[in-house]
Amino acid sequence: MKGVFPVEKFKGVQTPFYFYDTKVLRETLETINREAGLYPNFRVHYAIKSNANAKVLKEICQAGLGVDCVSGGEIKAAVAAGFAPEKIVYAGVGKSDWEINLGLDENIFCFNVESIPELEIINELAAAKGKVAQVCFRINPNVGAHTHANITTGLAENKFGIAMEDMETVINLAATLSNVNFIGLHFHIGSQILEMDDFVALSNRINELQDRLEAQGIKVQHINVGGGLGIDYQDPNGNPIPNFKDYFATYAQHLQLREGQLLHFELGRSVTGQCGSLITKTIYVKQGHHKQFCIVDAGMTDLIRPALYQAFHKVENISSDEPVETYDVVGPICESSDVFVKGFDLNKCHRGDLIALRSAGAYGEIMASSYNCRTLPVGYVTEDFD
Ligand code: LLP
């Protein structure tokens, strides 16, 4: 089965471009609100790094989610889109002074702090403004995730977070600094995680750490488990909405929240992934000796995930219903890794056919580059074609 696209209306639009299906996005957001809403202590933030398209942000903001930022630019984008600063959490191993100052000026909810030097600088910059910054510590839980090596973040050798054995040291240090207020713990084990057991492992680890802190009389108001819920790249039509029910239920069942504690989530891919497709045009169909190539006008500059992570994006010829043939679908960039998929069955391709690369709403448009002096792709939503 193919996705539903307004193909006739796409004609004449400069390719490649991103198309965001507003219906899918809204259904996703409704499901999140319904499933997380079963648990009054749950707070969902949107990881804006996955997609900062203004039209997409507008929908997410209207749904009432908070936002997770990792740069000053993202804080600006979130504020411009209308997200309330008191719902912004800000993570990142290397926050520059101007970015910390921006967070302080906007009175964001919390800085997720990843090292002692960062804590000291936040304290210093907050003092200069006569403010007290709320901080969570990002703890590296040393929990692996069953996903691609480039997108696991919770193992001991990753650059992220503070080691578990240093947790009390940083909390005690924060207590001695007058311009930071320690409010919680932050975690994130990786991305594109489909095995709920990985989230169980994180919950178990957090329970252990909480027991340890409780024994020392240390109070924690907020727990933030980051993001990571994966999507079905193989079957975006069969599974357009990720399994939020099991995801939230897993945490509800396994993570022992203490009295009054709030549990925060930072979901990126699972919010935006399935609503987006990269639409590209077939420039040439080239016959090789052992294979044929469908050469399209989108490249790794528009969607880098296949080249960078060997990621699979389902490809569909949305202009043709002719019997399928097997193709390597490749872009025009001067790099041999500029290949979207190899040996893939598509309805017979012709010059000019529109091709959709599915499940590209997360880490697609936002990771585009202008390598080869190419123009950045534009992002459209359903309403742009009404
Ligand atoms: N919170 C933190 C601290 C993160 O580092 C990330 C993603 C998220 C939340 C959101 O994770 P999600 O729900 O999207 O899995 N460019 C890669 C993914 C990098 C993820 C980086 N951190 C990709 O295209 O697969």
Side-chain angles (χ1 to χ4, degrees):
M1 192 182 104
K2 283 199 215 183
V4 183
F5 294 98
V7 181
E8 280 306 309
K9 294 183 177 163
F10 284 172
K11 288 191 179 142
V13 179
Q14 177 72 48
T15 50
F17 61 88
Y18 276 88
F19 173 69
Y20 301 108
D21 185 329
T22 317
K23 188 163 166 277
V24 173
L25 178 58
R26 287 187 188 149
E27 271 174 35
T28 306
L29 292 164
E30 279 162 23
T31 310
I32 292 173
N33 279 335
R34 188 175 65 244
E35 297 300 338
L38 297 174
Y39 312 101
N41 293 352
F42 286 15
R43 298 288 180 274
V44 181
H45 303 263
Y46 167 59
I48 193 171
K49 65 172 78 64
S50 78
N51 187 319
N53 180 290
K55 293 168 188 166
V56 170
L57 290 187
K58 194 169 138 232
E59 295 288 331
I60 298 170
C61 182
Q62 275 171 5
L65 273 61
V67 60
D68 158 42
C69 298
V70 290
S71 72
E74 287 192 353
I75 295 176
K76 286 184 189 172
V79 172
F83 286 94
E86 64 270 19
K87 284 190 181 176
I88 294 180
V89 294
Y90 175 25
V93 292
K95 302 177 183 78
S96 299
D97 291 15
W98 75 266
E99 297 178 298
I100 295 170
N101 279 325
L102 177 66
L104 292 167
D105 290 341
E106 293 289 349
N107 295 315
I108 62 168
F109 169 59
C110 169
F111 292 84
N112 290 329
V113 173
E114 308 218 11
S115 67
I116 287 179
E118 180 193 333
L119 179 69
E120 290 170 342
I121 292 299
I122 293 175
N123 183 62
E124 200 180 301
L125 295 174
K129 291 181 183 292
K131 292 192 170 186
V132 176
Q134 304 213 98
V135 297
C136 283
F137 289 116
R138 177 169 181 176
I139 305 296
N140 188 331
N142 200 13
V143 169
H146 295 91
T147 184
H148 191 279
N150 288 12
I151 49 178
T152 70
T153 47
L155 282 171
E157 66 263 30
N158 288 133
K159 69 177 173 180
F160 300 101
I162 292 164
M164 284 182 287
E165 52 269 39
D166 299 331
M167 179 175 66
E168 285 86 349
T169 311
V170 288
I171 293 174
N172 291 332
L173 173 62
T176 69
L177 302 174
S178 26
N179 296 83
V180 291
N181 180 21
F182 164 71
I183 59 165
L185 301 176
H186 175 233
F187 305 86
H188 175 74
I189 54 172
S191 201
Q192 184 52 18
I193 298 170
L194 292 167
E195 292 186 31
M196 294 299 150
D197 279 354
D198 292 338
F199 301 122
V200 173
L202 175 61
S203 300
N204 291 339
R205 180 50 51 80
I206 295 173
N207 293 340
E208 281 166 35
L209 296 175
Q210 290 239 74
D211 288 346
R212 213 166 97 183
L213 293 179
E214 218 163 49
Q216 300 170 66
I218 298 174
K219 284 234 172 339
V220 179
Q221 293 156 260
H222 300 272
I223 301 289
N224 182 335
V225 289
L229 177 62
I231 63 171
D232 190 344
Y233 281 99
Q234 303 293 328
D235 189 9
N237 300 318
N239 288 313
I241 314 288
N243 192 352
F244 294 110
K245 187 179 173 50
D246 283 3
Y247 175 73
F248 290 119
T250 298
Y251 279 109
Q253 190 186 340
H254 294 276
L255 203 153
Q256 292 154 13
L257 281 184
R258 309 309 204 242
E259 185 70 35
Q261 265 183 350
L262 295 183
L263 183 59
H264 299 258
F265 300 85
E266 302 170 343
L267 298 176
R269 187 190 317 266
S270 54
V271 181
T272 52
Q274 294 293 44
C275 72
S277 298
L278 176 61
I279 308 296
T280 177
K281 193 176 278 174
T282 307
I283 315 175
Y284 304 113
V285 178
K286 174 171 153 178
Q287 300 296 329
H289 287 287
H290 305 290
K291 48 168 77 176
Q292 56 182 345
F293 297 93
C294 173
I295 304 174
V296 296
D297 63 1
M300 60 192 284
T301 50
D302 306 291
L303 178 62
I304 201 175
R305 303 193 69 260
L308 196 56
Y309 316 113
Q310 297 75 50
F312 172 75
H313 287 265
K314 190 169 184 234
V315 185
E316 292 171 352
N317 183 342
I318 58 175
S319 297
S320 162
D321 285 322
E322 289 177 49
V324 297
E325 295 191 8
T326 305
Y327 300 89
D328 282 11
V329 181
V330 303
I333 312 296
C334 301
E335 296 269 348
S336 38
S337 55
D338 188 33
V339 174
F340 288 120
V341 72
K342 286 187 175 166
F344 197 73
D345 285 350
L346 291 176
N347 294 102
K348 187 176 170 60
C349 296
H350 312 269
R351 175 174 165 82
D353 282 357
L354 291 177
I355 305 289
L357 289 140
R358 305 293 309 278
S359 312
Y363 307 111
E365 184 183 352
I366 195 75
M367 291 180 78
S369 78
S370 53
Y371 180 45
N372 283 189
C373 293
R374 284 166 59 85
T375 309
L376 291 173
V378 174
Y380 298 103
V381 292
T382 308
E383 289 70 22
D384 289 323
F385 296 97
D386 283 348

mmCIF file of all heavy atoms in Angstrom, residues 47 49-50 68 70 91 114 138 150-151 153 160 186-188 190-192 226-229 233 266-270 305 309 362-363 367, ligand 1:
data_model
loop_
_atom_site.group_PDB
_atom_site.id
_atom_site.type_symbol
_atom_site.label_atom_id
_atom_site.label_comp_id
_atom_site.label_asym_id
_atom_site.label_seq_id
_atom_site.Cartn_x
_atom_site.Cartn_y
_atom_site.Cartn_z
ATOM 1 N N ALA A 47 11.090 17.208 21.512
ATOM 2 C CA ALA A 47 12.513 17.425 21.206
ATOM 3 C C ALA A 47 12.603 18.135 19.859
ATOM 4 O O ALA A 47 12.541 17.509 18.794
ATOM 5 C CB ALA A 47 13.260 16.097 21.179
ATOM 6 N N LYS A 49 14.851 19.302 18.200
ATOM 7 C CA LYS A 49 15.955 18.951 17.300
ATOM 8 C C LYS A 49 15.477 18.060 16.158
ATOM 9 O O LYS A 49 16.101 18.014 15.115
ATOM 10 C CB LYS A 49 17.094 18.264 18.067
ATOM 11 C CG LYS A 49 16.714 16.921 18.661
ATOM 12 C CD LYS A 49 17.912 16.182 19.234
ATOM 13 C CE LYS A 49 18.342 16.724 20.590
ATOM 14 N NZ LYS A 49 17.305 16.539 21.649
ATOM 15 N N SER A 50 14.361 17.356 16.345
ATOM 16 C CA SER A 50 13.930 16.425 15.300
ATOM 17 C C SER A 50 13.289 17.154 14.115
ATOM 18 O O SER A 50 13.307 16.648 12.996
ATOM 19 C CB SER A 50 12.970 15.373 15.859
ATOM 20 O OG SER A 50 11.666 15.903 16.031
ATOM 21 N N ASP A 68 11.935 20.527 24.411
ATOM 22 C CA ASP A 68 13.303 20.182 24.812
ATOM 23 C C ASP A 68 14.253 20.786 23.791
ATOM 24 O O ASP A 68 14.166 20.471 22.605
ATOM 25 C CB ASP A 68 13.422 18.644 24.848
ATOM 26 C CG ASP A 68 14.850 18.144 24.732
ATOM 27 O OD1 ASP A 68 15.740 18.735 25.371
ATOM 28 O OD2 ASP A 68 15.083 17.158 24.007
ATOM 29 N N VAL A 70 18.361 21.998 22.613
ATOM 30 C CA VAL A 70 19.778 21.693 22.826
ATOM 31 C C VAL A 70 20.694 22.811 22.332
ATOM 32 O O VAL A 70 21.893 22.609 22.193
ATOM 33 C CB VAL A 70 20.203 20.369 22.154
ATOM 34 C CG1 VAL A 70 19.600 19.176 22.870
ATOM 35 C CG2 VAL A 70 19.859 20.352 20.677
ATOM 36 N N ALA A 91 19.128 20.999 27.302
ATOM 37 C CA ALA A 91 20.231 20.057 27.523
ATOM 38 C C ALA A 91 21.387 20.363 26.576
ATOM 39 O O ALA A 91 21.271 21.219 25.698
ATOM 40 C CB ALA A 91 19.748 18.629 27.301
ATOM 41 N N GLU A 114 25.320 18.947 32.402
ATOM 42 C CA GLU A 114 26.048 17.722 32.060
ATOM 43 C C GLU A 114 27.455 17.647 32.641
ATOM 44 O O GLU A 114 28.171 16.667 32.423
ATOM 45 C CB GLU A 114 26.096 17.570 30.528
ATOM 46 C CG GLU A 114 24.705 17.686 29.896
ATOM 47 C CD GLU A 114 24.458 16.749 28.730
ATOM 48 O OE1 GLU A 114 25.283 15.843 28.510
ATOM 49 O OE2 GLU A 114 23.441 16.931 28.042
ATOM 50 N N ARG A 138 22.028 15.703 34.312
ATOM 51 C CA ARG A 138 21.909 14.592 33.374
ATOM 52 C C ARG A 138 22.871 13.502 33.826
ATOM 53 O O ARG A 138 24.088 13.689 33.813
ATOM 54 C CB ARG A 138 22.250 15.032 31.957
ATOM 55 C CG ARG A 138 22.195 13.846 31.003
ATOM 56 C CD ARG A 138 22.263 14.278 29.576
ATOM 57 N NE ARG A 138 22.181 13.136 28.676
ATOM 58 C CZ ARG A 138 22.144 13.235 27.374
ATOM 59 N NH1 ARG A 138 22.183 14.434 26.810
ATOM 60 N NH2 ARG A 138 22.080 12.161 26.614
ATOM 61 N N ASN A 150 25.564 4.946 16.528
ATOM 62 C CA ASN A 150 25.699 6.410 16.499
ATOM 63 C C ASN A 150 24.609 7.123 17.285
ATOM 64 O O ASN A 150 24.718 8.324 17.523
ATOM 65 C CB ASN A 150 25.606 6.941 15.054
ATOM 66 C CG ASN A 150 26.828 6.618 14.242
ATOM 67 O OD1 ASN A 150 27.652 5.828 14.660
ATOM 68 N ND2 ASN A 150 26.943 7.230 13.080
ATOM 69 N N ILE A 151 23.551 6.429 17.626
ATOM 70 C CA ILE A 151 22.473 7.113 18.351
ATOM 71 C C ILE A 151 22.164 6.469 19.698
ATOM 72 O O ILE A 151 21.078 6.619 20.228
ATOM 73 C CB ILE A 151 21.189 7.283 17.479
ATOM 74 C CG1 ILE A 151 20.766 5.970 16.804
ATOM 75 C CG2 ILE A 151 21.376 8.361 16.432
ATOM 76 C CD1 ILE A 151 19.480 6.081 15.977
ATOM 77 N N THR A 153 23.238 6.792 23.593
ATOM 78 C CA THR A 153 23.875 7.888 24.318
ATOM 79 C C THR A 153 24.086 7.574 25.789
ATOM 80 O O THR A 153 24.742 8.330 26.491
ATOM 81 C CB THR A 153 22.990 9.151 24.240
ATOM 82 O OG1 THR A 153 21.656 8.772 24.534
ATOM 83 C CG2 THR A 153 23.044 9.780 22.872
ATOM 84 N N PHE A 160 28.069 12.083 26.964
ATOM 85 C CA PHE A 160 26.940 12.747 27.609
ATOM 86 C C PHE A 160 26.848 12.473 29.109
ATOM 87 O O PHE A 160 27.144 11.381 29.576
ATOM 88 C CB PHE A 160 25.633 12.286 26.950
ATOM 89 C CG PHE A 160 25.582 12.603 25.485
ATOM 90 C CD1 PHE A 160 25.841 11.633 24.543
ATOM 91 C CD2 PHE A 160 25.309 13.896 25.055
ATOM 92 C CE1 PHE A 160 25.818 11.932 23.185
ATOM 93 C CE2 PHE A 160 25.287 14.198 23.704
ATOM 94 C CZ PHE A 160 25.533 13.210 22.765
ATOM 95 N N HIS A 186 18.001 13.928 35.040
ATOM 96 C CA HIS A 186 17.684 13.785 33.624
ATOM 97 C C HIS A 186 18.453 12.605 33.049
ATOM 98 O O HIS A 186 19.607 12.371 33.436
ATOM 99 C CB HIS A 186 18.073 15.093 32.909
ATOM 100 C CG HIS A 186 17.916 15.052 31.424
ATOM 101 N ND1 HIS A 186 18.945 15.394 30.562
ATOM 102 C CD2 HIS A 186 16.870 14.717 30.629
ATOM 103 C CE1 HIS A 186 18.515 15.283 29.309
ATOM 104 N NE2 HIS A 186 17.270 14.871 29.324
ATOM 105 N N PHE A 187 17.823 11.889 32.142
ATOM 106 C CA PHE A 187 18.445 10.716 31.497
ATOM 107 C C PHE A 187 18.042 10.699 30.023
ATOM 108 O O PHE A 187 17.021 11.273 29.643
ATOM 109 C CB PHE A 187 17.934 9.409 32.137
ATOM 110 C CG PHE A 187 18.117 9.352 33.621
ATOM 111 C CD1 PHE A 187 17.167 9.900 34.485
ATOM 112 C CD2 PHE A 187 19.248 8.768 34.167
ATOM 113 C CE1 PHE A 187 17.338 9.863 35.860
ATOM 114 C CE2 PHE A 187 19.422 8.721 35.543
ATOM 115 C CZ PHE A 187 18.463 9.271 36.390
ATOM 116 N N HIS A 188 18.825 10.013 29.210
ATOM 117 C CA HIS A 188 18.423 9.736 27.814
ATOM 118 C C HIS A 188 19.327 8.625 27.327
ATOM 119 O O HIS A 188 20.549 8.779 27.334
ATOM 120 C CB HIS A 188 18.598 10.998 26.946
ATOM 121 C CG HIS A 188 18.319 10.752 25.496
ATOM 122 N ND1 HIS A 188 17.051 10.585 25.002
ATOM 123 C CD2 HIS A 188 19.152 10.633 24.433
ATOM 124 C CE1 HIS A 188 17.112 10.366 23.690
ATOM 125 N NE2 HIS A 188 18.382 10.394 23.325
ATOM 126 N N GLY A 190 19.097 6.865 24.253
ATOM 127 C CA GLY A 190 19.306 6.689 22.816
ATOM 128 C C GLY A 190 18.022 6.923 22.059
ATOM 129 O O GLY A 190 17.013 7.346 22.636
ATOM 130 N N SER A 191 18.088 6.661 20.772
ATOM 131 C CA SER A 191 16.986 7.012 19.887
ATOM 132 C C SER A 191 16.587 5.805 19.043
ATOM 133 O O SER A 191 17.358 4.855 18.912
ATOM 134 C CB SER A 191 17.464 8.159 18.998
ATOM 135 O OG SER A 191 16.395 8.874 18.472
ATOM 136 N N GLN A 192 15.393 5.871 18.458
ATOM 137 C CA GLN A 192 14.859 4.764 17.626
ATOM 138 C C GLN A 192 14.889 3.443 18.411
ATOM 139 O O GLN A 192 15.377 2.416 17.953
ATOM 140 C CB GLN A 192 15.614 4.669 16.289
ATOM 141 C CG GLN A 192 15.103 3.619 15.293
ATOM 142 C CD GLN A 192 13.594 3.719 15.011
ATOM 143 O OE1 GLN A 192 12.962 4.719 15.264
ATOM 144 N NE2 GLN A 192 13.007 2.656 14.509
ATOM 145 N N GLY A 226 14.098 11.593 29.098
ATOM 146 C CA GLY A 226 14.537 11.852 27.731
ATOM 147 C C GLY A 226 13.545 11.321 26.710
ATOM 148 O O GLY A 226 12.351 11.213 26.976
ATOM 149 N N GLY A 227 14.079 11.001 25.519
ATOM 150 C CA GLY A 227 13.186 10.529 24.448
ATOM 151 C C GLY A 227 13.569 9.125 24.045
ATOM 152 O O GLY A 227 13.966 8.325 24.880
ATOM 153 N N GLY A 228 13.448 8.832 22.770
ATOM 154 C CA GLY A 228 13.958 7.562 22.272
ATOM 155 C C GLY A 228 12.969 6.618 21.650
ATOM 156 O O GLY A 228 13.362 5.660 20.984
ATOM 157 N N LEU A 229 11.659 6.842 21.841
ATOM 158 C CA LEU A 229 10.701 5.883 21.284
ATOM 159 C C LEU A 229 10.820 5.859 19.755
ATOM 160 O O LEU A 229 10.803 6.900 19.096
ATOM 161 C CB LEU A 229 9.275 6.268 21.704
ATOM 162 C CG LEU A 229 8.164 5.390 21.127
ATOM 163 C CD1 LEU A 229 8.296 3.936 21.584
ATOM 164 C CD2 LEU A 229 6.792 5.937 21.501
ATOM 165 N N TYR A 233 9.815 2.261 10.386
ATOM 166 C CA TYR A 233 10.300 2.753 9.096
ATOM 167 C C TYR A 233 9.905 1.818 7.954
ATOM 168 O O TYR A 233 9.817 2.236 6.809
ATOM 169 C CB TYR A 233 11.830 2.908 9.129
ATOM 170 C CG TYR A 233 12.294 4.161 9.838
ATOM 171 C CD1 TYR A 233 12.737 4.130 11.154
ATOM 172 C CD2 TYR A 233 12.287 5.395 9.185
ATOM 173 C CE1 TYR A 233 13.166 5.282 11.808
ATOM 174 C CE2 TYR A 233 12.708 6.551 9.820
ATOM 175 C CZ TYR A 233 13.151 6.485 11.129
ATOM 176 O OH TYR A 233 13.561 7.639 11.767
ATOM 177 N N GLU A 266 10.974 13.564 26.645
ATOM 178 C CA GLU A 266 11.428 14.444 25.561
ATOM 179 C C GLU A 266 11.351 13.673 24.255
ATOM 180 O O GLU A 266 12.322 13.042 23.837
ATOM 181 C CB GLU A 266 12.887 14.858 25.787
ATOM 182 C CG GLU A 266 13.125 15.572 27.095
ATOM 183 C CD GLU A 266 14.596 15.772 27.415
ATOM 184 O OE1 GLU A 266 15.450 15.084 26.808
ATOM 185 O OE2 GLU A 266 14.897 16.607 28.285
ATOM 186 N N LEU A 267 10.193 13.691 23.627
ATOM 187 C CA LEU A 267 9.981 12.873 22.436
ATOM 188 C C LEU A 267 10.210 13.668 21.163
ATOM 189 O O LEU A 267 9.654 14.758 20.994
ATOM 190 C CB LEU A 267 8.557 12.326 22.450
ATOM 191 C CG LEU A 267 8.219 11.414 23.629
ATOM 192 C CD1 LEU A 267 6.758 11.014 23.596
ATOM 193 C CD2 LEU A 267 9.110 10.171 23.609
ATOM 194 N N GLY A 268 11.020 13.132 20.284
ATOM 195 C CA GLY A 268 11.302 13.803 19.016
ATOM 196 C C GLY A 268 10.774 13.000 17.842
ATOM 197 O O GLY A 268 9.699 13.260 17.301
ATOM 198 N N ARG A 269 11.522 11.968 17.490
ATOM 199 C CA ARG A 269 11.196 11.145 16.315
ATOM 200 C C ARG A 269 9.760 10.621 16.331
ATOM 201 O O ARG A 269 9.084 10.627 15.306
ATOM 202 C CB ARG A 269 12.157 9.963 16.275
ATOM 203 C CG ARG A 269 12.058 9.104 15.040
ATOM 204 C CD ARG A 269 12.871 7.826 15.213
ATOM 205 N NE ARG A 269 14.159 8.034 15.810
ATOM 206 C CZ ARG A 269 15.299 8.219 15.136
ATOM 207 N NH1 ARG A 269 15.285 8.187 13.830
ATOM 208 N NH2 ARG A 269 16.436 8.420 15.780
ATOM 209 N N SER A 270 9.309 10.180 17.513
ATOM 210 C CA SER A 270 7.977 9.574 17.577
ATOM 211 C C SER A 270 6.882 10.614 17.336
ATOM 212 O O SER A 270 5.763 10.262 16.987
ATOM 213 C CB SER A 270 7.776 8.871 18.923
ATOM 214 O OG SER A 270 8.042 9.774 19.989
ATOM 215 N N ARG A 305 20.120 10.678 6.604
ATOM 216 C CA ARG A 305 20.056 9.488 7.475
ATOM 217 C C ARG A 305 20.561 8.195 6.815
ATOM 218 O O ARG A 305 21.287 7.439 7.441
ATOM 219 C CB ARG A 305 18.640 9.304 8.026
ATOM 220 C CG ARG A 305 18.136 10.524 8.804
ATOM 221 C CD ARG A 305 16.893 10.248 9.618
ATOM 222 N NE ARG A 305 17.184 9.364 10.723
ATOM 223 C CZ ARG A 305 16.949 8.070 10.738
ATOM 224 N NH1 ARG A 305 16.374 7.493 9.708
ATOM 225 N NH2 ARG A 305 17.279 7.344 11.771
ATOM 226 N N TYR A 309 23.649 6.856 8.880
ATOM 227 C CA TYR A 309 23.352 5.750 9.814
ATOM 228 C C TYR A 309 22.936 4.474 9.093
ATOM 229 O O TYR A 309 22.372 3.580 9.720
ATOM 230 C CB TYR A 309 22.192 6.118 10.746
ATOM 231 C CG TYR A 309 22.213 7.499 11.330
ATOM 232 C CD1 TYR A 309 21.253 8.440 10.967
ATOM 233 C CD2 TYR A 309 23.170 7.861 12.278
ATOM 234 C CE1 TYR A 309 21.236 9.704 11.529
ATOM 235 C CE2 TYR A 309 23.152 9.123 12.837
ATOM 236 C CZ TYR A 309 22.192 10.042 12.458
ATOM 237 O OH TYR A 309 22.169 11.289 13.013
ATOM 238 N N ALA A 362 11.316 13.309 10.940
ATOM 239 C CA ALA A 362 12.258 13.577 12.036
ATOM 240 C C ALA A 362 13.691 13.449 11.530
ATOM 241 O O ALA A 362 14.026 12.477 10.849
ATOM 242 C CB ALA A 362 12.025 12.585 13.178
ATOM 243 N N TYR A 363 14.512 14.419 11.861
ATOM 244 C CA TYR A 363 15.933 14.417 11.491
ATOM 245 C C TYR A 363 16.110 14.363 9.971
ATOM 246 O O TYR A 363 17.048 13.753 9.461
ATOM 247 C CB TYR A 363 16.671 13.262 12.184
ATOM 248 C CG TYR A 363 16.448 13.253 13.690
ATOM 249 C CD1 TYR A 363 15.692 12.251 14.303
ATOM 250 C CD2 TYR A 363 16.950 14.279 14.487
ATOM 251 C CE1 TYR A 363 15.461 12.264 15.670
ATOM 252 C CE2 TYR A 363 16.729 14.298 15.853
ATOM 253 C CZ TYR A 363 15.984 13.290 16.440
ATOM 254 O OH TYR A 363 15.748 13.301 17.800
ATOM 255 N N MET A 367 18.267 18.376 9.284
ATOM 256 C CA MET A 367 19.670 17.988 9.099
ATOM 257 C C MET A 367 20.155 18.253 7.672
ATOM 258 O O MET A 367 21.254 17.835 7.296
ATOM 259 C CB MET A 367 19.870 16.503 9.457
ATOM 260 C CG MET A 367 19.720 16.229 10.942
ATOM 261 S SD MET A 367 19.958 14.485 11.393
ATOM 262 C CE MET A 367 21.736 14.321 11.374
HETATM 263 N N1 LLP B 1 16.462 14.094 24.625
HETATM 264 C C1 LLP B 1 17.785 14.108 24.411
HETATM 265 C C2 LLP B 1 18.678 14.502 25.507
HETATM 266 C C3 LLP B 1 18.312 13.729 23.167
HETATM 267 O O1 LLP B 1 19.631 13.732 22.981
HETATM 268 C C4 LLP B 1 17.431 13.337 22.130
HETATM 269 C C5 LLP B 1 17.927 12.962 20.800
HETATM 270 C C6 LLP B 1 16.048 13.349 22.386
HETATM 271 C C7 LLP B 1 15.599 13.727 23.640
HETATM 272 C C8 LLP B 1 15.029 12.955 21.354
HETATM 273 O O2 LLP B 1 15.167 11.633 21.002
HETATM 274 P P1 LLP B 1 14.077 10.923 20.066
HETATM 275 O O3 LLP B 1 12.755 10.886 20.809
HETATM 276 O O4 LLP B 1 13.977 11.697 18.820
HETATM 277 O O5 LLP B 1 14.629 9.572 19.843
HETATM 278 N N2 LLP B 1 19.849 12.293 14.109
HETATM 279 C C9 LLP B 1 19.595 10.963 14.622
HETATM 280 C C10 LLP B 1 18.939 11.000 15.982
HETATM 281 C C11 LLP B 1 19.743 11.750 17.007
HETATM 282 C C12 LLP B 1 19.056 11.843 18.351
HETATM 283 C C13 LLP B 1 19.767 12.802 19.240
HETATM 284 N N3 LLP B 1 19.154 12.978 20.521
HETATM 285 C C14 LLP B 1 18.745 10.199 13.617
HETATM 286 O O6 LLP B 1 18.459 10.738 12.545
HETATM 287 O O7 LLP B 1 18.399 9.050 13.843
#
